């Protein structure tokens, strides 16, 4: 049913201008309780956005700067988002038409044509600024040329005016694209400047509407405890008022003094902010304007204060300031990071506590003296000769009991004929042997149990410590998600909203190396491979990067898409293997690429045949899963060591040899635990890497070695099992250099190494499992 619904919905989607990526409309489960709560807001929000865009466009079309320039209408049309630029253009056209009241100037006619051309270009090339800017400004310039040299005779003044309008409109549109007006910042200030310029030219008797509105907004910002926003708004709107009408200069100066007084003296305090703002306004106006001409300006500012006083108290409530992060630490952006860190500390503390308690507890049955004491308590304590044997002849009796230890350890039991001469005086020899045998058997079983319990405790605490370290690494990664890019995050969120489902979360950030990453969380959705590729192309275009198809993570009704930049390198893998006997090899290989790195693992189980194959495959599979989950090589080795140690009662072990290559930088990290030397071919020269160490699964901890090297395109990394090095490393180095010079594929190189090693091993009569895993880096066109 789900597949049928998806097929039917795909058939209903028209092939629009973005046809290659509009492959699927994301679906939301409307039965979910959150979906029902958000549906009214989702229905009202587009209408509010378009209504606001229409009003802003109308004010921008009405606004005139310095008596001749009208750039706001065209600039808003170029800068508004895709869902509301048409409404803004309609408002701008209406403002231009009404401003002339039927007597349109030549400049207004040119602007009407320019707005229409910009709208047409935005419909033809959605989401692209340059075609719309060229169309709008080009139409404005062409109209100016036609009118300037036509019969109407606009002259050079018209050319200069339209040229200035075109430049200002293009700059305004670009700024609005870079800083959307929906969020506080430059974009919102530019729209406010257009509104102030439009309202500054509207007078109702002695009341100037622009001054009143500016005063109300500035006072509201002061009451809300946002002094920076109030001062920035005052500076921008004051300049717009002066540009709209030079006679409003004293009003702008008075509002500037008022905003400074309210923002600096009483931010966030309603009554005090009103008093400081009013006093600063009166002082500013009177210092600039003669008292006889100040009445109109003070009346307008007073109307703004009255309007602010009538606003709901919630609108004037102070905004809580964000908590400042400690200077020595970067802020934590996720509560999950803190929780993971707390869990990591708890697990680490648990491991330390278990070890401390074990060390503090008394340990019984640790020496043969316990066998002697138990034999005394079970037999000699009730014997009539106890006083003679254990007091008068204590030294001889104790020497005789100690003499029983080698006999019991060798034979496992004691016969009456085995009693030494010091114990020949015992009147119950058979009972003494039985009591000693029972005590020694109990001693040996308890000793074995203690050894097994100590191994289990060591494995448990080692596992707790390794998981704690892994959680600590993940916590640090979550706590440092990189530098956020809100503008790109908004563009990506708008794109997914246009497909039918607004994302639950959307974050685009730059990591420490300057790579762009994007994480988009959606309601549970399935994607085909072609759809993921199309999404990667479109998200990459929005972020101005080249993205790989995203990694898809699904959990609890949500799907997260992780986009990462296309790396500079790509890995080509190859391997070959030959079993010592039969078809079962104890060597296991894992080769794969994570979103940012190429991973290659080689594990050699101890011995040959099926038991070695079980250990080798278990170690390789567990290591691969842990690396894919984000564990480092050292932590993965510790956890695999525990798994091998607890796999069975028999001793298990395997070598661990892995290499992880960062496909962005070429940095390679090698980790070896008991593995044979590996080989690197860099610049055509081969060299071995790795020293002797112990395999995993044998000791309580891991005795591994790590190394970091740098590789480039054309280099090889080769991991081999010890069976391939039966004749040393000399011939391997020569073969690698010859193959690198010929640029042999990794599969071909691996087969050549294994076949040559098999021939040499048969000649020496020392067969063993032989495996070679090869990784070659190639340049990846971006």
């Amino acid at each position: 049913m789900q597949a049928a619904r998806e097929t039917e919905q795909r058939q209903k989607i028209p092939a629009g201008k973005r046809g290659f990526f509009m492959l699927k409309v994301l679906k939301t489960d409307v039965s979910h309780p959150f979906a029902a709560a958000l549906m009214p807001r989702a229905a009202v929000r587009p209408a509010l956005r378009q209504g606001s865009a229409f009003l802003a466009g109308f004010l921008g079309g009405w606004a005139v700067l310095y008596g001749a320039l009208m750039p706001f209408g065209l600039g808003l049309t170029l800068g508004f988002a895709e869902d509301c630029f048409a409404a803004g253009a309609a408002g701008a056209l209406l403002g231009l038409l009404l401003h002339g009241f039927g007597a349109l100037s030549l400049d207004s006619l040119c602007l009407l044509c320019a707005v229409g051309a910009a709208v047409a270009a935005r419909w033809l090339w959605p989401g692209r600024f340059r075609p719309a800017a060229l169309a709008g400004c080009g139409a404005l310039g062409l109209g100016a040329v036609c009118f300037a040299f036509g019969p109407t005779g606009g002259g050079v003044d018209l050319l200069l005016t339209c040229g200035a309008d075109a430049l200002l409109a293009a700059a305004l549109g670009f700024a609005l694209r870079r800083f959307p007006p929906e969020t506080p910042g430059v974009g919102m200030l530019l729209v406010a400047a257009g509104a102030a310029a439009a309202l500054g030219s509207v007078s109702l008797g002695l009341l100037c509407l622009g001054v009143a509105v500016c005063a109300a907004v500035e006072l509201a910002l002061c009451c809300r405890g946002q002094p920076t926003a109030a001062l920035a708004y005052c500076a921008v709107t004051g300049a717009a008022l002066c540009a709209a009408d030079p006679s409003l200069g004293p009003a702008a100066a008075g509002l500037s003094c008022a905003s400074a007084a309210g923002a600096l003296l009483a931010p966030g305090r309603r009554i005090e902010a009103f008093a400081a703002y009013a006093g600063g306004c009166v002082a500013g106006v009177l210092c600039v304007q003669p008292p006889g001409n100040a009445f109109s300006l003070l009346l307008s500012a007073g109307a703004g204060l009255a309007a602010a006083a009538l606003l709901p108290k919630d609108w004037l409530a102070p905004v809580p300031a964000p908590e400042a992060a400690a200077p020595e630490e970067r802020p934590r952006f996720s509560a999950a990071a803190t929780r993971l860190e707390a869990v990591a500390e708890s697990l680490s503390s648990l491991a330390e506590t278990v070890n401390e308690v074990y060390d503090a507890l008394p340990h019984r049955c640790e020496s043969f003296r316990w066998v002697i004491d138990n034999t005394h308590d079970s037999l000699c304590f009730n014997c009539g000769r106890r006083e003679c044997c254990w007091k008068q002849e204590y030294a001889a009796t104790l020497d005789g009991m100690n003499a029983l230890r080698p006999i019991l350890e060798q034979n496992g039991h004691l016969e009456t004929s085995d009693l030494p001469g010091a114990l020949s005086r015992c009147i119950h020899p058979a009972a003494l042997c039985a009591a000693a045998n029972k005590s020694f058997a109990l001693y040996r079983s308890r000793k074995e149990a203690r050894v097994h319990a100590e191994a289990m405790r060591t494995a448990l605490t080692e596992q707790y410590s390794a998981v704690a370290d892994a959680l600590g690494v993940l916590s640090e990664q979550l706590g440092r998600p990189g530098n956020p890019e809100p503008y790109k995050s908004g563009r990506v969120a708008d794109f997914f909203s246009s497909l039918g489902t607004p994302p639950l979360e959307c974050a685009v950030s730059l990591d420490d190396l300057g790579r762009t990453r994007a994480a988009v969380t959606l309601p549970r959705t399935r994607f085909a491979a072609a759809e993921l590729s199309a999404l990667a192309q479109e998200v990459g275009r929005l972020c101005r990067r080249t993205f790989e198809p995203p990694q898809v993570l699904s959990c609890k009704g949500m799907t997260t898409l992780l986009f990462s930049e296309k790396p500079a390198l790509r890995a080509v893998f190859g391997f070959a293997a030959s079993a010592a006997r039969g078809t079962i090899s104890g060597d296991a290989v894992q080769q794969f690429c994570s979103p940012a790195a190429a991973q290659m693992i080689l594990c050699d189980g101890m011995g040959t045949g099926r038991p070695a194959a079980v250990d080798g495959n278990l170690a390789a599979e567990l290591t691969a899963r842990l690396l894919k989950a984000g564990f480092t090589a050292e932590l993965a080795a510790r956890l695999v060591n525990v798994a091998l140690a607890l796999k069975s009662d028999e001793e298990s072990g395997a070598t661990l040899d892995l290499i992880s290559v960062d496909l962005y930088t070429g940095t390679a990290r090698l980790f070896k635990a008991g593995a044979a030397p590996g080989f690197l071919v860099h610049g055509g020269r081969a060299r071995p890497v790795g020293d002797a160490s112990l395999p995993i699964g044998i000791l309580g901890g891991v005795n591994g070695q790590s190394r970091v090297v740098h590789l480039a395109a054309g280099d090889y990394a080769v991991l081999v099992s010890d069976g391939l090095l039966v004749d040393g490393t000399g011939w391997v180095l020569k073969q690698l250099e010859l193959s690198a010079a010929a640029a042999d594929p990794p599969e071909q190189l691996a087969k050549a190494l294994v076949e040559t090693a098999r021939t040499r091993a048969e000649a020496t009569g020392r067969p063993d499992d032989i495996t070679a895993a090869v990784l070659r880096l190639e340049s990846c066109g971006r």
Side-chain angles (χ1 to χ4, degrees):
M1 293 294 293
Q2 180 71 18
R5 285 196 297 269
E6 291 180 2
T7 303
E8 181 181 357
Q9 186 146 359
R10 286 195 185 97
Q11 294 173 353
K12 292 180 181 179
I13 299 176
K17 301 299 180 181
R18 305 185 187 181
F20 78 96
F21 66 85
M22 300 265 312
L23 298 173
K24 184 174 186 177
V25 175
L26 305 179
K27 301 172 288 301
T28 305
D29 185 6
V30 296
S31 62
H32 197 280
F34 294 135
L38 293 175
M39 285 178 64
R41 180 178 296 182
V44 173
R45 187 172 181 270
L48 292 177
R49 282 176 55 84
Q50 294 183 5
S52 301
F54 178 84
L55 179 59
F58 176 78
L59 294 175
W62 184 278
V64 179
L65 302 180
Y66 303 109
L69 302 180
M70 294 183 290
F72 283 102
L74 178 58
L76 296 178
T77 303
L78 295 175
F80 277 158
E82 298 297 323
D83 61 335
C84 55
F85 78 88
L93 293 175
L94 181 61
L96 288 170
L97 291 172
L98 293 181
H99 188 271
F101 289 105
L104 291 175
S105 63
L106 297 179
D107 189 13
S108 299
L109 292 175
C110 294
L111 284 170
L112 290 174
C113 298
V115 171
V119 171
R122 295 203 63 173
W123 278 336
L124 292 175
W125 295 282
R128 300 180 63 183
F129 173 74
R130 188 174 299 175
L134 291 176
C137 297
L140 181 58
L142 182 61
V145 172
C146 294
F147 284 119
F149 300 101
T152 55
V156 179
D157 292 341
L158 180 61
L159 289 176
L160 295 177
T161 301
C162 291
D165 282 335
L167 292 177
L168 291 175
L172 178 62
F174 179 79
L176 291 178
R177 289 290 187 96
R178 184 66 179 84
F179 305 100
E182 293 87 354
T183 57
V186 176
M188 185 175 290
L189 289 176
L190 292 176
V191 174
L199 297 176
S201 60
V202 178
S203 298
L204 303 176
L206 296 177
L207 178 64
C208 179
L209 194 58
V211 175
V213 172
C214 290
V217 175
E218 293 167 7
L219 180 57
L221 292 174
C222 293
C223 292
R224 290 171 59 84
Q226 296 176 309
T228 304
L231 295 175
Y233 179 86
C234 172
V236 173
T237 55
L241 288 175
C242 294
D245 187 355
S247 64
L248 295 179
L255 294 181
S256 299
C257 294
S259 297
L264 300 179
L265 298 180
R269 300 193 298 272
R270 189 164 179 253
I271 302 300
E272 293 86 341
F274 267 84
Y277 192 92
C281 185
V282 172
V285 172
L286 292 180
C287 288
V288 178
Q289 185 78 359
N293 300 328
F295 179 76
S296 174
L297 302 180
L298 293 177
L299 177 63
S300 301
L305 269 67
L310 297 176
L311 293 176
K313 292 184 178 180
D314 293 341
W315 293 16
L316 301 178
V319 177
E323 295 182 0
E328 65 274 7
E329 295 183 353
R330 295 183 62 181
R332 297 276 181 175
F333 291 94
S334 174
T338 304
R339 298 192 64 182
L340 279 179
E341 187 174 357
V343 173
E345 292 178 357
S346 299
L347 289 176
S348 179
S349 176
L350 178 60
E352 295 175 358
T353 302
V354 170
N355 286 327
E356 292 174 357
V357 171
Y358 176 81
D359 294 337
L361 288 175
H363 303 293
R364 301 177 59 194
C365 307
E366 290 189 350
S367 66
F368 189 76
R369 182 58 184 263
W370 183 87
V371 177
I372 299 175
D373 293 341
N374 194 63
T375 302
H376 168 269
D377 294 342
S378 60
L379 177 66
C380 300
F381 186 78
N382 298 318
C383 180
R385 290 184 55 84
R386 174 174 176 271
E387 293 291 331
C388 177
C389 294
W390 289 98
K391 290 187 177 181
Q392 299 175 11
E393 300 178 3
Y394 174 79
T397 303
L398 186 60
D399 291 340
M401 296 296 288
N402 285 325
L404 298 178
R405 180 173 184 173
I407 302 174
L408 289 172
E409 290 179 347
Q410 181 178 0
N411 301 329
H413 64 282
L414 184 67
E415 301 289 344
T416 55
S417 59
D418 297 329
L419 293 175
L423 300 179
S424 60
R425 65 182 180 276
C426 180
I427 60 176
H428 306 293
L432 176 62
C433 292
N437 289 336
K438 182 178 179 181
S439 298
F440 183 76
L442 185 59
Y443 159 74
R444 186 164 57 184
S445 65
R446 289 188 175 182
K447 185 176 181 180
E448 292 175 355
R450 181 179 60 81
V451 172
H452 181 69
E454 185 173 357
M456 292 290 293
R457 175 192 59 81
T458 302
L460 179 66
T461 55
E462 177 70 10
Q463 191 170 20
Y464 279 157
S465 299
V467 173
D469 292 342
L471 291 178
V473 172
L474 294 178
S475 171
E476 183 177 1
Q477 294 175 354
L478 287 176
R480 296 182 177 181
N483 298 321
E485 295 194 317
Y487 173 65
K488 293 182 179 180
S489 301
R491 296 186 68 185
V492 174
D494 292 341
F495 162 66
F496 278 94
S497 298
S498 69
L499 295 182
T501 298
L504 304 177
E505 289 184 0
C506 181
V508 180
S509 60
L510 283 175
D511 63 9
D512 296 338
L513 297 178
R515 298 179 299 213
T516 299
R517 301 179 185 273
V520 182
T521 301
L522 307 166
R524 190 69 174 261
T525 312
R526 293 181 179 179
F527 295 95
E531 294 168 342
L532 293 175
S533 298
L535 288 174
Q537 293 179 16
E538 181 60 15
V539 173
R541 187 186 67 80
L542 294 174
C543 296
R544 298 181 179 89
R545 294 291 189 274
T546 303
F547 281 148
E548 290 278 277
Q551 181 183 5
V552 182
L553 304 177
S554 298
C555 179
K556 294 183 179 181
M558 295 184 296
T559 297
T560 299
L561 304 178
L562 300 178
F563 297 87
S564 56
E565 282 194 49
K566 189 176 182 179
L569 302 170
R570 70 184 185 96
V572 181
F573 297 106
F575 84 96
S578 175
R581 300 178 183 86
T583 59
I584 300 177
S585 172
D587 302 337
V589 175
Q590 291 279 341
Q591 297 171 320
F592 58 92
C593 285
S594 61
Q599 314 277 1
M600 188 165 65
I601 305 168
L602 173 58
C603 293
D604 182 2
M606 296 293 97
T608 59
R610 188 177 298 275
V614 171
D615 293 342
N617 282 277
L618 176 62
E621 179 67 22
L622 290 179
T623 304
R625 291 185 181 182
L626 293 170
L627 291 178
K628 291 177 182 178
F631 284 64
T632 62
E634 291 79 4
L635 295 177
R638 291 173 62 182
L639 291 175
V640 174
N641 182 71
V642 174
L644 290 177
L646 300 180
K647 178 179 69 68
S648 64
D649 293 336
E650 299 179 357
E651 183 176 345
S652 301
T655 66
L656 175 59
D657 195 1
L658 70 88
I659 181 172
S660 176
V661 183
D662 190 322
L663 296 179
Y664 293 97
T665 63
T667 301
R669 300 180 181 275
L670 297 96
F671 181 83
K672 290 181 176 292
F679 300 90
L680 297 177
V681 182
H682 179 65
R685 301 297 301 272
R687 61 186 177 93
V689 290
D691 300 321
S693 58
L694 292 177
I696 58 175
I698 296 179
L699 301 178
V702 177
N703 183 18
Q705 298 175 347
S706 298
R707 181 174 298 181
V708 178
V709 296
H710 185 77
L711 301 178
D715 292 348
Y716 291 83
V718 182
L719 305 180
V720 300
S721 60
D722 55 356
L724 191 139
L725 302 178
V726 65
D727 275 353
T729 63
W731 70 271
V732 180
L733 295 174
K734 294 179 181 179
Q735 179 65 49
L736 291 177
E737 292 182 355
L738 290 174
S739 298
D744 290 341
E747 194 77 21
Q748 179 179 342
L749 174 57
K751 290 181 179 179
L753 290 174
V754 170
E755 291 173 359
T756 305
R758 172 56 60 193
T759 302
R760 290 173 174 268
E762 291 175 352
T764 59
R766 292 179 291 174
D768 193 2
D769 297 328
I770 300 175
T771 303
V774 183
L775 179 153
R776 184 175 188 268
L777 294 179
E778 297 181 355
S779 179
C780 184
R782 304 192 65 176

